[in-house]
Amino acid sequence: MTVETRSPEETFALGEKMGRQAVPGEILTLKGDLGTGKTVFTQGFARGLGIEEPVSSPTFTIVQVYGEGRLPFYHFDVYRIEDIDEMEEIGYEDCFYGEGVCLIEWAEKIEELLPGKRKSITIEKDLEQGFDFRKITIEEIEERESECGF
């Protein structure tokens, strides 16, 4: 599915709608260059979960946990991950396989850790369509696990 937004408010509203529809255990990956609106989308998503506190990118902490919404919300930014073992150190499995919702920015850096079932969201600019234009592609990913469980 592809959605076009033409303002930060529309990008926020799409995130909010998806947050209202989120279910326990859901994993969303969020891809896009710097300045494409990943944080605006995430703020809307958090609002859709009922989170009122300010949401910002957790670039220096890797994960920010928000517990006051209808579901726990784990907002990851793995841009600065240099070694996959750093994810083990922060206990990512408790977040990925718990009762909350995970949104992971720069998820391509930890591809081998991602569950087979997830939503992939890509946000792209097209300056020819306007400064605030965004093309947002949402894909359901469902990779089959091998017979040995991997």
Side-chain angles (χ1 to χ4, degrees):
M1 172 173 77
T2 300
V3 177
E4 294 179 353
T5 65
R6 300 198 176 273
S7 69
E9 293 80 14
E10 287 182 13
T11 301
F12 183 97
L14 176 62
E16 186 174 17
K17 178 181 178 184
M18 290 184 70
R20 284 194 305 268
Q21 297 170 351
V23 296
E26 192 166 33
I27 306 269
L28 297 95
T29 61
L30 191 53
K31 299 176 187 173
D33 292 333
L34 293 170
T36 56
K38 294 185 304 292
T39 300
V40 170
F41 177 89
T42 301
Q43 290 167 337
F45 189 86
R47 181 64 52 86
L49 287 171
I51 296 167
E52 298 293 329
E53 71 180 275
V55 172
S56 60
S57 191
T59 301
F60 296 102
T61 59
I62 301 175
V63 64
Q64 183 68 44
V65 179
Y66 301 92
E68 85 271 4
R70 67 178 178 83
L71 297 169
F73 178 42
Y74 306 101
H75 179 202
F76 287 83
D77 183 332
V78 297
Y79 181 76
R80 296 194 186 280
I81 290 281
E82 303 230 354
D83 184 336
I84 205 79
D85 291 337
E86 291 177 62
M87 292 297 290
E88 294 283 344
E89 293 171 17
I90 63 168
Y92 80 93
E93 288 181 322
D94 292 338
C95 302
F96 283 18
Y97 301 104
E99 291 299 311
V101 178
C102 293
L103 190 146
I104 308 160
E105 295 185 43
W106 304 99
E108 59 274 14
K109 294 190 76 152
I110 60 164
E111 189 77 34
E112 62 266 31
L113 297 179
L114 296 174
K117 183 176 180 178
R118 60 189 181 272
K119 284 185 183 167
S120 173
I121 302 164
T122 303
I123 304 177
E124 300 170 287
K125 288 183 182 184
D126 182 349
L127 294 177
E128 290 182 12
Q129 301 237 17
F131 182 77
D132 290 326
F133 175 88
R134 299 297 184 266
K135 177 182 165 189
I136 302 171
T137 305
I138 304 163
E139 298 176 86
E140 296 280 346
I141 308 289
E142 236 179 289
E143 299 170 352
R144 290 185 43 158
E145 292 185 11
S146 70
E147 290 182 23
C148 59
F150 298 103

